[in-house]
Amino acid sequence: MAKHITIGQLGEEEVVRFIENNGHTILDRNFRSRFGELDIVSKKDGIVHFIEVKSVEEKPWMDQLPEENVTQAKREKMAKTIEIYLSEKRLEGVDFTIDIAGVFVNLANKSARVRILEDVTF
């Protein structure tokens, strides 16, 4: 398996574990529309969370945060996919937030550090 896929999968699994330990219930993973994909959809305290996961291999010389990899184009695709998700799941009018999970993955010991930026504005 390609290294970037391994990093992405490990990062996403760590985010799921992290948010479940913090009271979230997973509603969906990898929901796809013609515009893109929602990595994780969860619910906590009546609020639906759409979580975009960005994972990078942790290196001592890193000067960029993983969440900085959410481009404007990705944000636009995510917004359209959220609209489709809410419509398909009949959740129009529900309170929701968009979160970004930045994950630093250490491949040597198969561990990760997770940072969640909640309620980001697009």
Side-chain angles (χ1 to χ4, degrees):
M1 188 177 305
K3 187 176 181 180
H4 72 281
I5 293 173
T6 301
I7 290 169
Q9 288 176 340
L10 182 59
E12 197 168 301
E13 290 300 321
E14 286 296 319
V15 171
V16 166
R17 210 173 354 267
F18 181 85
I19 64 174
E20 284 180 331
N21 288 338
N22 286 286
H24 287 246
T25 301
I26 304 301
L27 301 178
D28 256 310
R29 290 183 64 182
N30 307 114
F31 175 85
R32 296 181 197 282
S33 80
R34 68 180 187 263
F35 298 107
E37 177 182 78
L38 300 173
D39 293 330
I40 302 169
V41 182
S42 68
K43 191 171 189 179
K44 180 180 179 184
D45 299 330
I47 298 172
V48 174
H49 293 255
F50 295 99
I51 304 170
E52 174 66 16
V53 179
K54 289 297 181 187
S55 304
V56 296
E57 184 177 6
E58 188 169 36
K59 297 178 183 170
W61 62 84
M62 293 193 71
D63 61 351
Q64 184 177 16
L65 299 173
E67 52 271 23
E68 292 174 345
N69 291 323
V70 180
T71 64
Q72 185 60 36
K74 173 62 180 173
R75 292 172 187 222
E76 290 169 6
K77 290 176 184 179
M78 192 174 176
K80 290 176 184 175
T81 302
I82 288 170
E83 286 180 33
I84 291 169
Y85 183 90
L86 293 172
S87 176
E88 282 187 16
K89 302 295 181 175
R90 299 187 175 172
L91 295 172
E92 294 96 338
V94 72
D95 288 333
F96 71 89
T97 182
I98 300 170
D99 306 334
I100 299 174
V103 186
F104 294 95
V105 175
N106 183 322
L107 288 175
N109 64 13
K110 300 277 192 250
S111 66
R113 290 185 300 123
V114 176
R115 297 166 28 108
I116 306 280
L117 302 176
E118 295 181 331
D119 200 17
V120 297
T121 305
F122 282 4

